[in-house]
Amino acid sequence: MESALLLHYLLLNHFRWPLLRFSSQFLVSLLVLASALLCNAADSSTKIGNGYRLISIQDSPDGGFVGYLQVKQKNNNIYGPDIPLLQLYVKHETDGRLRVHITDAEKQRWEVPYNLLPRAKPPMIKFIARSRKRPTVATEYSNTELIFSYTLDPFEFAVQRRSNRDTLFNSSGPFNSLVFKDQYLEISTQLPKDASLYGLGENTQPSGIKLKPNEPYTLYATDISAYKLNTDLYGSHPVYMDLRNVGQEAKAHAVLLLNSNGMNVVYTGTSLTYKVIGGVLDFYFFSGPTPLAVVDQYTEFVGRPAAMPYWSLGFHQSRWGYRNLSVVEETVENYKKAQIPLDVIWNDDDTMDSYKDFSLNCVAYPRKKLLAFLNKLHSQGMKYIVLIDPGINVNSTYDVYQRGMANDVFIKYHGKPYLAQVWPGAVYFPDFLNPKTVSWWGDEIKKFHELIPVDGLWLDMNEASNFCSGLCTIPEGRKCPSEAGPRWECCLDCRNITNTRWDEPPYKINASGMVEAPGFKTIATSATHYNGVLEYNAHSLYGFSQAIATHKALEDIQGKRPFILTRSTYVGSGRYASHWTGDNKGTWEDLRYSISTILNFGIFGVPMVGSDICGFYPAPTEELCNRWIELGAFYPFSRDHANYFSPKQELYQWESVAKSARNALGLRYKLLPHLYTLTYEAHISGAPIARPLFFSFPQCTMCNGLSTQFLIGSSLMVSPVLEPNETKVDAFFPPGTWYNMFDMSRSIVLEEGQYVSLDAPLHVINVHVYQNAIIPMQQGGLTSKVARKTPFSLVVTFPAGATESEAAGNLFVDEDELPDMKLGNGFSTHVDFHATINKGRVKVWSDVEEPNFALDRGLFIEKVIVLGLNGVEGTFGVEVDNVDVSVDASSVDITTPENYDLNGNSAMRKSMMVEIKGLKLAVGKKFTLSWKMANKN
């Protein structure tokens, strides 16, 4: 234990700068070794418990059943005494969701509040306890796809899939039986060796999206920079997806442990063990069987992702260090001069008066000039967002603080507001579990919005981050923070709190990448929220509860669709906010890590996610920034953000980066209709915008661990360059036909999945579209407002040379700032596009729901591009509402490239592209377009 702690401490502290001389891989290896030693030291091999026996069982009024578990015998007191009697509650809540809930049968225990995450409550214990029946045999409980089975003594349970009897969760095995103590819960499951697991975040996983055995997975919201590997970061998502290839069939399921307490999850490759420091065991099993079905079932439970305004899909520029309004104005103007698309300009805390929330620095950002600037932005369809930290400065002259004290809204310690330090100095933290705080917070946002009509809010430091630890007081006789020292160094007078079992729990999770007390650099875990709720229990919910309060406030104030960006997240956060991955570095490693983190958050139900393009600090190279904007242009949330102390890295700072930005963002802005349709699909079904390849190709085992490429939706694949000095990229292509989005006459055709070497000079990002898709596009522009007014085109992809095939796609358009994102409100239209090739005839048509919105706005399709054909003959006939419309032959382009350098690669093909131009097909009307293929002898 001591040796592991010493190694970890030296690596992270004493040797921080000297270690720069070693390779990053060497450092990662040492840190992983240290973490493994810590886990082994903390998790003693001594048997912790002897388990429980099931002593009674009966049906519950809601269609489930309740049982009682009695501890088998008095166990040792490792981590405290066992709770003698537990209640087991099991219910099939839907066809695809099973709940298994275990808690103390005699005392109420902490659970994630039901008002924060709405769900059914288990039956009341006293009601069920009146008539217990003793179970006599082990049995199964099933009426859906998931089967719950159990044994009596010791009590163990398993969850199986009905369709193939595959065991998805099995708590029996060569590990501790169920352990349930006040501050230590443990349960394990067996796993097959070939299962691919994803999730258990938030952390930066150097090995990629697929969980790696024996790496540490600690879940506890912590302000640790995202470049720290294998540590608990800003959010807590105790859910994993399990993908298995059984025989010739791939099936996925997910397991959520709904628990907000800190936990270590130990994954060995053949087992997974939860070691939790409080709360209850509240498991939810989601049957899938496809990855998309899993996320659909998961977000049906935790909450569908928030509706997003159209402009949020544009490019965003931010920086900590825009020292005055003139710099912001200059930044916007420079983007325009460089002809780089930009929709949103952001301010960090630079607008604040001495870092105080809801205040304005009237010298650097005079209100009159700022309002004039915002009017100009808004007239161009652009938006403005600012940052808010949760800590409220303790300052008797500060009106926000005064109103907070008057309304008694702050987290307490022994009856007094808990004192911490963040950017403004001494602060109190609002208690968002308190209904009065939610109202007060909404009022403060309203007052601020009247001062500055911002278009969204950025919630930072909401883990909650604290520059100090323990119980602190404001020092007498010295200024805190001082003018000379860094603001992030603790200057309060503080002492450790070691006299409570909450501040020093018996079991230590691997908090902060080390075995730190859970209150390290955050709120003391013995502090209390509304109704006496301990910070120990509610800690990881802080950012979640703040996002809920902020979402309500913005919706009430603006009457529009709120846009909120939050750093700290929990299960269900995607219902209220988007997320960025925090403080990364401008390194090639961080560029690569960003893909896995973004893909994980899609699984977590937070599809609007991105990483700081070019890195938050210290400074990217020109080449790296080129490659990062090429990748970042296809993040769901695309934003450049930099540190106060970093040199300027706006995309126009280098001409080479500007060129790459115009290229990559140019395609993004053409794809905005498709991206916006994907946000609609995410909102109604949870479907991630950015997806791992296995979502569309679950049978392809090569895709299971692929973390260097990703899909946008089901059909667009992004293959970035992730290494320096490279002008080619080896990209994996699943079998089928893939068309280059920058030159659609080029294709890659494969009978089996394989890696293909692609040209990727400095300004090129490889983006390909798969066969059988229909992608709606527009002409692009420098803002989404301009791009949205341009005509539509459809890209239809058939397999190369196919004689019989079909393709499909869709389009959703609406009044994008309304709170609702749905059909049936009179302000939206949904179109399904279809295409077939059959018996020598090509047919493209549409089906329209709620046509009036699109018709009223005059939206129309001017061009249809069809890929994969062998040829055409005869005339083109266009039919709209059963009326023939003539098409001029000059409006038809047939392109077969003759000078395509195949580089000797048999997978690369020349592809015919049939382009029909000059159309004016109303998006809101059904249409049919058809023609006959040429005969080939």
Side-chain angles (χ1 to χ4, degrees):
M1 177 76 172
E2 287 84 4
S3 62
L5 278 170
L6 177 61
L7 175 57
H8 214 284
Y9 180 78
L10 291 175
L11 285 173
L12 289 177
N13 294 283
H14 287 276
F15 295 158
R16 183 174 297 155
W17 299 116
L19 280 173
L20 291 176
R21 292 174 294 178
F22 296 93
S23 71
S24 59
Q25 188 170 358
F26 174 75
L27 292 181
V28 170
S29 300
L30 285 178
L31 287 168
V32 170
L33 172 61
S35 297
L37 288 170
L38 285 171
C39 290
N40 292 335
D43 303 338
S44 171
S45 59
T46 303
K47 189 173 181 62
I48 297 175
N50 293 303
Y52 288 78
R53 63 171 62 90
L54 183 64
I55 59 172
S56 71
I57 195 168
Q58 71 176 62
D59 293 338
S60 62
D62 62 356
F65 78 80
V66 171
Y68 287 87
L69 309 174
Q70 187 178 66
V71 69
K72 285 176 62 68
Q73 66 186 62
K74 185 177 180 180
N75 297 314
N76 56 43
N77 276 327
I78 297 176
Y79 309 136
D82 297 280
I83 292 176
L85 187 67
L86 305 177
Q87 177 186 277
L88 165 71
Y89 168 66
V90 180
K91 185 183 179 185
H92 290 95
E93 295 191 330
T94 69
D95 288 345
R97 184 172 83 231
L98 170 70
R99 184 182 189 183
V100 179
H101 182 278
I102 303 174
T103 188
D104 190 330
E106 297 173 317
K107 294 180 182 178
Q108 185 174 352
R109 288 181 63 80
W110 164 258
E111 299 187 52
V112 174
Y114 283 78
N115 64 321
L116 288 188
L117 192 65
R119 59 200 189 279
K121 290 188 177 182
M124 295 293 291
I125 292 174
K126 290 182 180 178
F127 175 77
I128 296 298
R130 293 175 183 170
S131 55
R132 297 178 180 169
K133 297 178 182 178
R134 181 169 179 79
T136 55
V137 293
T139 188
E140 290 183 350
Y141 168 58
S142 170
N143 57 15
T144 68
E145 170 63 0
L146 295 177
I147 301 170
F148 178 85
S149 61
Y150 58 87
T151 58
L152 305 182
D153 188 5
F155 169 74
E156 294 165 341
F157 75 89
V159 177
Q160 291 180 302
R161 194 186 293 281
R162 176 188 289 276
S163 58
N164 62 2
R165 302 298 294 196
D166 190 22
T167 300
L168 310 184
F169 193 96
N170 185 356
S171 70
S172 66
F175 31 67
N176 283 322
S177 297
L178 170 65
V179 179
F180 206 114
K181 301 169 185 284
D182 188 29
Q183 289 183 262
Y184 183 78
L185 285 59
E186 181 178 325
I187 192 169
S188 301
T189 178
Q190 297 184 52
L191 292 168
K193 288 183 178 179
D194 58 351
S196 296
L197 268 59
Y198 313 89
L200 295 180
E202 178 180 10
N203 58 35
T204 299
Q205 300 170 195
S207 57
I209 187 174
K210 184 176 174 180
L211 299 187
K212 185 177 180 181
N214 303 317
E215 286 190 351
Y217 297 99
T218 298
L219 281 70
Y220 191 73
T222 309
D223 176 10
I224 291 184
S225 295
Y227 66 82
K228 296 290 183 71
L229 307 180
N230 291 313
T231 62
D232 46 319
L233 296 180
Y234 312 104
S236 175
H237 294 269
V239 60
Y240 69 85
M241 180 185 289
D242 182 333
L243 177 66
R244 303 180 187 180
N245 293 79
V246 181
Q248 299 300 312
E249 195 171 14
K251 291 192 174 184
H253 68 275
V255 179
L256 165 67
L257 173 56
L258 189 59
N259 182 300
S260 62
N261 292 83
M263 67 181 78
N264 287 337
V265 184
V266 180
Y267 172 48
T268 68
T270 57
S271 68
L272 187 144
T273 300
Y274 298 91
K275 299 171 180 284
V276 193
I277 62 173
V280 301
L281 296 177
D282 194 3
F283 283 104
Y284 291 83
F285 299 91
F286 304 92
S287 65
T290 66
L292 271 181
V294 167
V295 181
D296 185 6
Q297 294 158 358
Y298 179 71
T299 57
E300 179 186 27
F301 172 61
V302 305
R304 298 298 193 193
M308 290 291 152
Y310 199 91
W311 54 262
S312 68
L313 293 168
F315 182 69
H316 302 241
Q317 177 60 53
S318 177
R319 179 180 177 81
W320 177 28
Y322 286 144
R323 61 186 182 274
N324 57 46
L325 179 58
S326 296
V327 177
V328 178
E329 292 174 316
E330 181 184 13
T331 300
V332 174
E333 187 61 28
N334 284 339
Y335 267 92
K336 185 177 179 180
K337 288 179 181 177
Q339 294 290 287
I340 301 172
L342 178 66
D343 260 77
V344 190
I345 188 73
W346 294 59
N347 263 125
D348 205 299
D349 56 21
D350 306 288
T351 60
M352 297 179 183
D353 175 18
S354 301
Y355 302 94
K356 298 193 294 291
D357 279 346
F358 309 118
S359 67
L360 184 63
N361 181 336
C362 292
V363 175
Y365 287 85
R367 182 169 182 261
K368 185 176 180 180
K369 290 185 177 180
L370 179 56
L371 291 177
F373 171 66
L374 294 188
N375 285 336
K376 182 179 178 181
L377 275 184
H378 291 155
S379 69
Q380 298 170 351
M382 299 178 70
K383 305 297 179 182
Y384 179 65
I385 295 176
V386 298
L387 175 142
I388 294 179
D389 290 335
I392 301 300
N393 185 218
V394 178
N395 185 331
S396 60
T397 65
Y398 176 32
D399 54 356
V400 177
Y401 166 79
Q402 293 168 351
R403 290 188 290 267
M405 290 298 290
N407 285 280
D408 191 23
V409 301
F410 298 116
I411 293 171
K412 301 267 196 325
Y413 189 88
H414 289 178
K416 296 180 180 180
Y418 177 79
L419 186 69
Q421 180 189 330
V422 199
W423 296 113
V427 299
Y428 294 154
F429 289 116
D431 175 13
F432 294 103
L433 300 185
N434 186 340
K436 286 199 305 182
T437 306
V438 174
S439 297
W440 164 83
W441 186 253
D443 289 341
E444 296 301 337
I445 291 177
K446 182 178 180 181
K447 288 181 174 65
F448 181 63
H449 196 266
E450 291 168 352
L451 180 71
I452 312 172
V454 296
D455 299 290
L457 288 175
W458 174 12
L459 308 181
D460 196 11
M461 308 291 285
N462 56 346
E463 292 70 33
S465 180
N466 182 0
F467 297 158
C468 302
S469 299
L471 187 61
C472 303
T473 58
I474 297 175
E476 295 183 6
R478 75 173 190 272
K479 189 174 181 180
C480 175
S482 69
E483 301 259 339
R487 298 191 76 90
W488 55 84
E489 288 187 359
C490 181
C491 58
L492 301 177
D493 289 337
C494 303
R495 61 178 176 82
N496 290 334
I497 308 172
T498 58
N499 59 344
T500 79
R501 61 193 179 102
W502 313 116
D503 296 290
E504 293 289 336
Y507 176 78
K508 304 295 193 301
I509 61 172
N510 193 27
S512 303
M514 300 175 274
V515 183
E516 289 282 3
F520 178 71
K521 293 296 183 74
T522 185
I523 301 167
T525 44
S526 53
T528 54
H529 293 253
Y530 180 67
N531 277 345
V533 169
L534 284 165
E535 169 70 8
Y536 181 87
N537 293 315
H539 170 79
S540 289
L541 300 175
Y542 193 81
F544 178 41
S545 60
Q546 185 195 22
I548 294 173
T550 306
H551 188 277
K552 181 181 185 304
L554 286 179
E555 196 169 65
D556 290 347
I557 293 163
Q558 298 174 314
K560 296 180 180 181
R561 197 172 295 174
F563 181 81
I564 299 165
L565 184 74
T566 183
R567 191 167 75 175
S568 185
T569 58
Y570 183 70
V571 173
S573 284
R575 183 178 181 182
Y576 305 97
S578 55
H579 174 64
W580 94 105
T581 64
D583 296 351
N584 58 2
K585 279 189 173 182
T587 69
W588 292 94
E589 290 81 7
D590 286 74
L591 173 67
R592 185 176 70 253
Y593 301 152
S594 72
I595 296 176
S596 297
T597 306
I598 286 167
L599 297 180
N600 260 330
F601 269 87
I603 294 172
F604 297 152
V606 189
M608 191 64 167
V609 58
S611 292
D612 286 345
I613 292 171
C614 297
F616 180 60
Y617 67 96
T621 65
E622 182 176 349
E623 182 192 7
L624 175 61
C625 210
N626 269 280
R627 294 308 191 185
W628 211 320
I629 185 53
E630 290 170 359
L631 168 60
F634 300 98
Y635 292 156
F637 171 64
S638 183
R639 185 184 73 157
D640 182 320
H641 179 54
N643 182 278
Y644 186 94
F645 303 98
S646 298
K648 293 180 179 181
Q649 64 181 48
E650 289 79 7
L651 302 181
Y652 54 77
Q653 296 293 338
W654 301 274
E655 178 49 41
S656 69
V657 176
K659 182 176 179 181
S660 294
R662 286 189 290 267
N663 189 45
L665 289 173
L667 180 57
R668 180 189 181 92
Y669 273 65
K670 291 176 183 177
L671 288 168
L672 285 178
H674 182 57
L675 288 169
Y676 190 65
T677 301
L678 291 175
T679 69
Y680 170 69
E681 292 180 1
H683 182 58
I684 63 172
S685 71
I689 300 171
R691 307 173 189 176
L693 267 66
F694 70 76
F695 265 62
S696 290
F697 305 96
Q699 312 280 29
C700 178
T701 56
M702 288 286 289
C703 295
N704 289 0
L706 193 59
S707 305
T708 54
Q709 299 165 243
F710 62 96
L711 296 172
I712 296 292
S714 61
S715 302
L716 284 170
M717 184 169 71
V718 182
S719 305
V721 172
L722 302 174
E723 301 290 340
N725 305 315
E726 291 290 341
T727 57
K728 291 184 178 293
V729 61
D730 289 332
F732 182 80
F733 285 82
T737 303
W738 296 85
Y739 298 94
N740 187 314
M741 285 298 293
F742 288 98
D743 181 352
M744 296 179 194
S745 66
R746 299 186 176 198
S747 64
I748 290 174
V749 183
L750 296 167
E751 293 185 4
E752 295 182 354
Q754 68 180 58
Y755 279 90
V756 178
S757 179
L758 304 174
D759 287 333
L762 187 61
H763 307 298
V764 170
I765 173 74
N766 278 279
V767 181
H768 289 80
V769 60
Y770 193 53
Q771 64 190 33
N772 307 121
I774 300 179
I775 306 294
M777 299 175 67
Q778 285 176 287
Q779 293 178 1
L782 294 184
T783 65
S784 63
K785 180 181 180 180
V786 170
R788 202 175 185 188
K789 293 178 180 179
T790 62
F792 285 83
S793 60
L794 299 180
V795 177
V796 181
T797 64
F798 291 121
T803 56
E804 290 191 18
S805 190
E806 59 186 31
N810 52 20
L811 173 67
F812 177 81
V813 293
D814 73 343
E815 184 59 60
D816 72 297
E817 293 198 356
L818 288 177
D820 292 327
M821 191 182 200
K822 63 181 182 181
L823 289 170
N825 60 4
F827 295 95
S828 57
T829 297
H830 188 271
V831 185
D832 285 314
F833 298 110
H834 305 274
T836 58
I837 178 171
N838 185 34
K839 296 181 179 179
R841 180 164 294 277
V842 176
K843 181 180 177 183
V844 182
W845 74 97
S846 70
D847 292 315
V848 183
E849 295 180 78
E850 307 287 335
N852 290 341
F853 176 81
L855 290 173
D856 290 345
R857 279 150 184 79
L859 305 179
F860 68 93
I861 299 164
E862 71 161 4
K863 182 165 57 177
V864 175
I865 301 169
V866 183
L867 308 176
L869 304 180
N870 282 327
V872 295
E873 72 173 12
T875 60
F876 285 79
V878 179
E879 187 180 285
V880 180
D881 291 342
N882 298 315
V883 177
D884 290 334
V885 178
S886 62
V887 176
D888 192 325
S890 65
S891 297
V892 181
D893 285 343
I894 302 173
T895 304
T896 303
E898 299 298 332
N899 298 315
Y900 180 15
D901 183 6
L902 303 181
N903 293 325
N905 194 318
S906 61
M908 295 183 178
R909 306 283 176 85
K910 302 171 183 178
S911 175
M912 177 175 288
M913 183 169 69
V914 178
E915 186 174 357
I916 307 166
K917 302 178 293 184
L919 303 171
K920 200 157 187 178
L921 306 174
V923 170
K925 281 188 177 182
K926 295 182 180 181
F927 70 85
T928 302
L929 182 152
S930 64
W931 68 88
K932 187 174 176 57
M933 293 278 294
N935 292 319
K936 286 197 170 185
N937 296 325

